[in-house]
């Protein structure tokens, strides 16, 4: 026993002595480019200065005595990216040298910027933002799906009516007032599953440009903004396979060089068939069946040094079954099913005529076909309501680059074919075949843009677009009696137009102007003016347009919308372009906005002008944003004050004036919003992200009182949008887990863990009223009322 105690004591003393053994950590800190030693750099061990810390001497050298074991060494110097390394100290002396990268020399990890320093300060453009796709991939997302539209809503001036909105509202515009392009092809329905996810294939996206202020003259057809999404060009040199698996969808993209240096193709696809998981996200999603998929094919052929040919094909499919929305009228159906498909194609030929002059010609095909299906009760038959929108376009642009000018001229022609709706009864004995007149229209445009400098401080971007719109037959145009409401009872005459005949025309000039004045090398002030016309729009009486909402061209009774935007801003880069500050103010006035009469019904309506109202809108606001673009911690903080109000008072009678002809807030009017995003690169293995979103609740229409009929109370409505939902706020979290040892390997993978709505805020999407047991009660519809956890695995094979 005595020997055992002696041995134990010796072992204890040995362990204590071993724990107290210290070794010396030394090293030299240098600039990564100049290799000059950095004096005064701080060296911190295990993130605790109290434990051990020192600074480098005049020769950049440091030395610290530390106990043996594993330590984390962090070396920092002002103006440099911090250096971090895990060190296992077991020798008498260990050396860790560091080469610090200057922040100004580090390749920008662009978060949200106006395409870098050059555009932010020097170019005469404002209200133009670029979102880096890698930033979108790090933002926390619902159910782990990378989502462009949700990422956009973290930007100032971009909102929506709720978490499942079909589109975004930008600077006071409706969802259809934003032109959404995917490699030059228009996207008419930008979301899957009624707004839960966007339709853009995340692996294939290359860049995202948002124009909400200055809009170049090459864009037309919408009055609020332009969202231009470009797809990656195929690689001509290296094969690459990427993809991912999440709770919602599976993704795969292949980048294949067919003829090295000459021809490459890119194929990407995404499919979602896990709708059985939806009730886990929200009880409101129970009994919902939803499947969606999208795919893209892109080919790039380098014909020679002066000519290239690009071709793209895109398709998306959605199937959605829900009990939250009603069946087709007069149909005894067992369910309501929504089936909508998009088929887009594009071909582009680029010819470099001289080193300064190139010609680009593009042809576009876009078809959107939404359907509502209703399986009949006790019968093997489905009744189908089908509609469609076809757009065919050809355009050619000539670009000429001079020493002080960047000139672009072009021509554009677009044909629209709108099928408002056809009811196909199938074998039903109780439903009749119904169809509505097809609309045809032609829009042509001439355009010119020039960007030039008038001295070292003043630069101007001037553009002019002339558009001409023709409403074409075959069609039957009614004439209504003046001074009375437009309805079926006020028709006094009609004119029939044959195929290709012009029934009405609109058009005019659309000037675009941007001015920049530099206040030095790092700051500038800008001002801009835009006038834009819109000849194609959505008509709907819902808060957010459904995928099956009706599209309508301008005609003899529906005038095109015309918007004028004035904006101004201050822009500054701080600390060698590490920070970017912007303040922008804007005012927009829009004529001939589309609204609807009380009780309007557009379903299978051959003459929608009897259900529509037109008025005017004004939107104004101030947007501020501070972005940190480099370093371990990146992100942004923005605040927006914005108002959007409408006025409809040009009709005859009470039914054609909304709120008595007074100004009223738009559905998406949300005066205050704050968005913040933070990304923290903790080490080589882990990146953490947080996003915070706050906004004023949107307006909705509440009953003014109740009418008793046969002992039952029924609400009646007098004014539109006179009440507001509670304020909206939400915090999200994401954790990206990497394995740096996999980088040299052909196979690389990382995990993404996200929590959407971290603290379980029960945000109201809408308020509805229901009469039960003789009383009417208000209820809130909440889509995501609890935290939503998700896990995604992404991989790259090259």
């Amino acid at each position: 026993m005595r020997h055992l105690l002696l041995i134990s004591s010796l072992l204890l003393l040995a362990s204590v002595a071993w724990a107290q053994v210290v070794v010396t950590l030394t090293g030299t800190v240098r600039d990564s480019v100049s290799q000059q030693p950095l004096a005064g750099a701080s060296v911190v061990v295990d993130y605790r200065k109290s434990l051990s810390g020192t600074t480098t001497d005049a020769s950049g050298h440091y030395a610290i005595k530390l106990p043996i074991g594993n330590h984390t060494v962090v070396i920092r110097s002002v103006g440099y990216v911090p250096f971090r390394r895990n060190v296992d100290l077991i020798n008498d002396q260990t050396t860790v040298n560091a080469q610090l990268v200057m922040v100004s020399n580090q390749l920008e990890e662009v978060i949200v910027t106006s395409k870098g320093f050059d555009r932010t300060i020097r170019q005469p453009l404002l209200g133009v933002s670029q979102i880096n796709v890698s930033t979108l991939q790090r933002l926390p997302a619902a159910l782990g799906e990378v989502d462009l539209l949700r990422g956009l809503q973290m930007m100032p001036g971009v909102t929506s009516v709720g978490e499942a909105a079909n589109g975004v509202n930008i600077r006071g515009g409706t969802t259809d007032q934003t032109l959404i392009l995917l490699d030059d092809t228009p996207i008419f329905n930008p979301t899957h599953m009624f707004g839960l996810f966007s339709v853009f294939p995340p692996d294939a996206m290359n860049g995202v440009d948002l124009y909400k202020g200055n809009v170049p003259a090459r864009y037309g057809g919408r009055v609020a903004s332009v969202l231009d999404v470009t797809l990656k060009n195929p690689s001509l040199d290296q094969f690459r396979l990427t993809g991912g698996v999440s709770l919602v969808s599976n993704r795969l993209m292949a980048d294949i060089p067919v003829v090295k240096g000459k021809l490459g193709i890119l194929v990407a696809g995404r499919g979602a068939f896990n709708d059985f998981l939806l009730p886990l996200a929200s009880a409101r999603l129970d009994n919902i069946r939803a499947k969606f998929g999208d795919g893209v094919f892109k080919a790039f052929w380098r014909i020679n040094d002066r000519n290239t040919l690009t071709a793209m094909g895109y398709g998306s499919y959605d199937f959605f079954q829900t009990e939250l929305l009603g069946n087709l009228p007069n149909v005894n159906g067992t369910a309501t099913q929504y089936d909508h498909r998009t088929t887009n194609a594009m071909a582009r030929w680029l010819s470099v005529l001289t080193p300064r002059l190139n010609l680009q010609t593009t042809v576009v095909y876009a078809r959107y076909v939404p359907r509502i299906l209703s399986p009949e009760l006790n019968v093997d038959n489905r009744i189908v309501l089908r509609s469609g929108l076809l757009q065919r376009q050809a355009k050619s642009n000539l670009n000429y680059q001079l020493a002080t000018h960047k000139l672009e001229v072009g021509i554009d022609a677009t044909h629209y074919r709108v099928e408002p709706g056809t009811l196909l009864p199938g074998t039903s004995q109780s439903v009749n075949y119904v169809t509505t007149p097809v609309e045809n229209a032609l829009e042509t445009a001439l355009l010119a843009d020039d960007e030039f400098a008038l001295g070292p401080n003043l630069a101007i971007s001037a553009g002019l677009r002339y558009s001409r719109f023709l409403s074409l037959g075959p069609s039957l145009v009614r004439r209504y009696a003046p001074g009375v409401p437009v309805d079926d009872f006020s028709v006094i005459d009609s004119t029939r137009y044959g195929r290709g005949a012009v029934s009405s025309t609109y058009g005019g000039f659309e000037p675009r102007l941007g001015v920049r004045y530099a206040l030095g090398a790092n700051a500038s002030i800008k001002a801009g003016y835009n006038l834009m016309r819109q000849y194609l729009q959505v008509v709907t009486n819902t808060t957010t347009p459904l995928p099956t909402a009706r599209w309508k061209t301008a005609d003899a009774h529906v005038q095109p919308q015309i918007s004028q935007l004035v904006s101004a801003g201050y822009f500054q880069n701080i600390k060698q372009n590490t920070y970017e500050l912007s303040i922008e103010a804007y005012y927009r006035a829009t004529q001939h906005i589309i609204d609807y009469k009380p009780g309007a019904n557009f379903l299978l309506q051959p003459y929608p002008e009897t259900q529509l109202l037109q008025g005017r809108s004004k939107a104004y606001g101030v947007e501020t944003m501070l972005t940190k673009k480099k370093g371990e911690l990146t992100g942004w903080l923005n605040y927006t004050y914005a108002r959007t109000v409408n006025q409809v008072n040009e009709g005859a009678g009470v039914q054609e004036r909304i709120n008595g002809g007074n100004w009223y807030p738009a559905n998406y009017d949300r005066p205050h919003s704050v968005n913040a995003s933070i990304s923290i690169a903790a080490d080589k293995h882990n990146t953490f992200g947080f996003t915070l979103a706050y906004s004023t609740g949107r307006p909705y229409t509440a009953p003014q009182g109740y009418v008793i009929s046969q002992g039952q109370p029924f609400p009646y409505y007098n004014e539109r949008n006179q009440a507001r939902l509670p304020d909206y706020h939400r915090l999200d979290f994401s954790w990206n887990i990497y394995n740096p040892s996999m980088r040299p390997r052909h196979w690389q993978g990382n995990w993404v863990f996200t929590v959407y709505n971290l603290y379980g805020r029960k945000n109201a999407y809408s308020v509805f009223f229901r009469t039960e047991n003789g009383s009417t009660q208000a209820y809130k519809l909440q889509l995501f009322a609890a935290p939503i956890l998700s896990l995604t695995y992404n991989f790259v094979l090259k």
Side-chain angles (χ1 to χ4, degrees):
M1 187 65 175
R2 184 177 301 173
H3 294 291
L4 181 59
L5 290 174
L6 179 61
I7 294 172
S8 300
S9 299
L10 290 174
L11 290 174
L12 179 61
L13 290 172
S15 63
V16 172
W18 177 258
Q20 293 176 345
V21 171
V22 295
V23 296
T24 303
L25 175 67
T26 62
T28 302
V29 182
R30 299 180 182 275
D31 183 288
S32 64
V33 176
S34 66
Q35 295 299 309
Q36 294 295 317
L38 296 178
S42 64
V43 182
V44 179
V45 179
D46 298 334
Y47 305 97
R48 291 176 294 174
K49 292 184 179 181
S50 59
L51 173 67
S52 184
T54 187
T55 57
T56 57
D57 58 22
S59 61
H61 183 76
Y62 71 91
I64 309 177
K65 293 187 178 296
L66 299 169
I68 64 171
N70 188 272
H71 299 277
T72 300
V73 179
V74 180
I75 302 175
R76 292 186 175 92
S77 184
V78 177
Y80 289 84
V81 179
F83 170 91
R84 180 186 290 106
R85 176 171 296 178
N86 291 325
V87 180
D88 192 12
L89 299 179
I90 57 176
N91 299 324
D92 290 341
Q93 185 166 326
T94 301
T95 300
V96 175
N97 297 320
Q99 296 190 12
L100 302 188
V101 179
M102 286 189 66
V103 170
S104 59
N105 294 333
Q106 183 193 28
L107 186 64
E108 285 192 12
E109 186 177 303
V110 180
I111 301 298
V112 177
T113 178
S114 299
K115 285 198 170 178
F117 174 80
D118 185 62
R119 173 166 289 187
T120 304
I121 301 301
R122 294 188 175 92
Q123 287 194 338
L125 298 171
L126 71 162
V128 182
S129 299
Q130 182 187 53
I131 299 180
N132 191 284
V133 175
S134 63
T135 301
L136 289 175
Q137 294 171 346
R138 290 194 299 270
L139 290 177
L143 296 171
E145 285 295 293
V146 176
D147 194 287
L148 170 61
L149 296 185
R150 288 188 185 276
L152 282 177
Q153 292 174 48
M154 296 300 296
M155 302 298 100
V158 183
T159 61
S160 72
V161 298
E163 289 177 303
N166 187 30
V168 290
N169 305 102
I170 300 177
R171 282 192 174 178
T174 58
T175 57
D176 64 306
Q177 288 176 349
T178 295
L179 175 63
I180 302 178
L181 298 174
L182 180 66
D183 257 12
D184 280 334
T185 65
I187 299 295
F188 298 107
N189 175 35
T191 62
H192 289 302
M193 290 177 60
F194 277 69
L196 290 180
F197 311 109
S198 64
V199 300
F200 306 99
D203 293 316
M205 284 193 302
N206 181 57
V208 180
D209 291 333
L210 174 62
Y211 298 89
K212 57 183 180 178
N214 284 116
V215 177
R218 63 180 176 272
Y219 297 109
R222 300 294 189 273
V223 295
S225 57
V226 177
L227 177 62
D228 192 356
V229 182
T230 57
L231 298 172
K232 296 176 181 177
N233 276 329
S235 172
L236 302 181
D237 301 310
Q238 184 180 12
F239 171 82
R240 184 182 178 93
L241 185 70
T242 62
V245 179
S246 72
L247 295 177
V248 173
S249 70
N250 303 312
R251 315 182 321 272
L252 190 66
M253 183 184 75
D255 201 348
I256 308 169
V258 179
V259 180
K260 193 168 184 180
K262 297 288 289 184
L263 176 64
I265 61 173
L266 181 147
V267 182
R270 175 175 58 162
F273 311 100
N274 302 332
D275 50 7
F276 61 89
L277 295 174
L278 289 175
L280 300 179
S282 171
R284 300 296 304 181
L285 303 180
D286 198 7
N287 297 324
I288 284 181
R289 297 295 172 263
K291 305 181 188 302
F292 69 82
D294 49 55
V296 64
F297 169 86
K298 190 170 184 179
F300 180 78
W301 179 23
R302 181 179 291 164
I303 303 173
N304 52 43
D305 291 341
R306 290 181 174 270
N307 295 275
T308 63
L309 182 64
T310 305
M312 186 276 293
Y314 168 82
S316 71
Y317 167 77
D318 270 80
F319 176 84
F320 193 93
Q321 177 177 306
T322 178
E323 297 177 357
L324 298 178
L325 301 173
N327 291 324
L328 292 172
N330 303 320
V331 175
N332 188 13
T334 60
T336 302
Q337 301 170 346
Y338 294 83
D339 176 307
H340 40 278
R341 308 177 186 214
T342 296
T343 305
N344 286 7
M346 179 273 296
R348 181 191 302 123
W349 172 48
L350 174 64
S351 179
V352 180
L353 305 176
T354 71
R356 293 182 177 271
L357 181 67
N358 68 73
L359 176 66
Q360 181 172 279
T361 302
T362 307
V363 292
V364 169
Y365 173 93
R367 182 163 178 78
Y368 176 58
V369 180
R371 301 190 306 165
I372 303 177
L373 306 94
S374 184
E376 279 194 294
L377 183 65
N378 301 324
V379 179
D380 186 18
N381 179 55
R382 287 196 303 181
I383 297 171
V384 179
L385 175 63
R386 185 191 67 203
S387 57
L389 173 58
L390 172 65
Q391 177 174 327
R392 291 173 290 190
Q393 182 180 16
K395 57 184 178 179
S396 189
N397 297 70
L398 190 68
N399 293 273
Y400 191 34
Q401 180 72 53
L402 297 171
T404 57
H405 288 261
K406 189 163 61 175
L407 182 65
E408 179 181 14
V409 295
I411 186 170
D412 189 340
T414 304
H415 175 260
Y416 303 105
R417 177 181 172 85
V418 179
E419 302 172 45
T422 300
L423 186 64
L424 303 172
T427 60
S428 176
Q429 301 298 315
S430 59
V431 179
N432 296 324
Y433 171 87
V434 181
T435 189
T436 50
V438 173
E439 301 176 21
N440 285 278
L442 178 65
E443 179 184 349
T444 59
L446 297 173
L447 61 99
D449 251 325
D450 190 15
E451 186 177 314
F452 54 94
L454 296 175
N457 296 328
L458 183 62
I460 295 176
S461 173
L464 184 63
R465 181 183 182 94
Y466 179 81
S467 62
R468 189 71 174 170
F469 179 83
L470 310 175
S471 180
L472 305 176
S475 60
L476 179 68
V477 178
R478 287 174 161 184
R479 188 160 63 93
Y480 298 91
V484 297
V486 176
D487 55 31
D488 293 336
F489 303 102
S490 61
V491 180
I492 59 176
D493 195 5
S494 63
T495 303
R496 185 171 297 278
Y497 293 86
R499 180 182 179 87
V502 178
S503 61
S504 57
T505 63
Y506 297 98
F509 289 98
E510 302 177 29
R512 322 282 172 88
L513 179 66
V515 179
R516 179 272 293 164
Y517 185 81
L519 302 175
N522 297 311
S524 66
I525 54 175
K526 302 181 185 181
Y529 170 79
N530 276 359
L531 188 149
M532 296 185 286
R533 302 173 188 271
Q534 180 168 338
Y535 305 103
L536 177 71
Q537 51 260 315
V538 169
V539 294
T540 180
N541 56 2
T542 57
T543 302
T544 178
L546 300 177
T548 52
R550 179 171 180 166
W551 287 83
K552 178 78 182 72
T553 60
D555 59 20
H557 301 290
V558 178
Q559 299 184 67
Q561 301 179 65
I562 304 173
S563 171
Q564 298 185 71
L565 173 72
V566 179
S567 56
Y570 172 79
F571 305 85
Q572 182 175 359
N573 288 328
I574 306 169
K575 289 189 176 181
Q576 299 176 313
N577 205 28
T578 301
Y579 299 91
E580 183 177 300
L581 173 66
S582 65
I583 303 173
E584 295 186 50
Y586 67 90
Y587 178 87
R588 179 195 308 282
T590 307
Q591 305 174 49
H592 313 311
I593 64 165
I594 302 291
D595 217 316
Y596 60 92
K597 295 180 179 180
N601 182 12
F602 300 107
L603 192 65
L604 297 172
Q605 172 58 251
Y607 303 102
E609 66 268 16
T610 61
Q611 309 294 307
L612 290 175
L613 298 173
Q614 291 197 270
R616 56 178 178 159
S617 172
K618 60 182 179 182
Y620 52 90
V622 178
E623 304 167 359
T624 63
M625 184 163 180
L626 177 65
T627 306
K628 185 176 185 294
K629 301 188 292 181
K630 302 173 183 177
E632 291 178 301
L633 187 149
T634 56
W636 66 85
L637 173 66
N638 61 63
Y639 164 75
T640 301
Y641 173 78
R643 295 301 311 271
T644 306
V645 290
N646 301 333
Q647 185 183 52
V648 178
N649 67 346
E650 300 175 1
V654 177
Q655 293 296 314
E656 296 193 335
R657 296 182 181 180
I658 298 177
N659 288 13
N662 298 316
W663 292 95
Y664 63 96
N667 291 333
Y668 43 88
D669 176 63
R670 311 179 87 160
H672 303 281
S673 64
V674 178
N675 298 291
S677 176
I678 298 175
S679 179
I680 306 170
D683 52 37
K684 295 180 180 180
H685 300 270
N686 302 281
T687 299
F688 301 97
F690 294 90
T691 57
L692 174 66
Y694 165 83
S695 64
T696 308
R698 67 168 179 83
Y700 73 96
T701 302
Q704 299 292 105
Y706 298 90
V707 176
I708 306 299
S709 175
Q710 296 180 354
Q712 295 291 326
F714 294 92
Y716 74 89
Y717 300 88
N718 185 25
E719 293 190 351
R720 190 173 297 182
N721 291 348
Q722 88 284 20
R724 284 191 181 272
L725 296 176
D727 289 359
Y728 177 98
H729 53 87
R730 189 191 76 245
L731 177 67
D732 306 327
F733 167 77
S734 68
W735 177 17
N736 285 263
I737 307 167
Y738 305 92
N739 186 355
S741 64
M742 298 180 69
R743 290 183 180 176
R745 304 178 183 176
H746 293 295
W747 179 277
Q748 300 174 16
N750 74 286
W751 291 92
V752 183
F753 173 71
T754 62
V755 183
Y756 184 84
N757 194 11
L758 187 62
Y759 53 79
R761 165 71 174 177
K762 295 182 179 180
N763 290 298
Y765 175 76
S766 65
V767 173
F768 61 95
F769 299 85
R770 179 182 298 167
T771 300
E772 296 176 336
N773 300 323
S775 64
T776 301
Q777 301 293 332
Y779 297 88
K780 295 179 182 178
L781 174 62
Q782 300 164 341
L783 296 181
F784 300 112
I788 302 174
L789 282 67
S790 61
L791 185 65
T792 304
Y793 179 74
N794 300 311
F795 62 86
V796 177
L797 176 63
K798 57 182 179 178

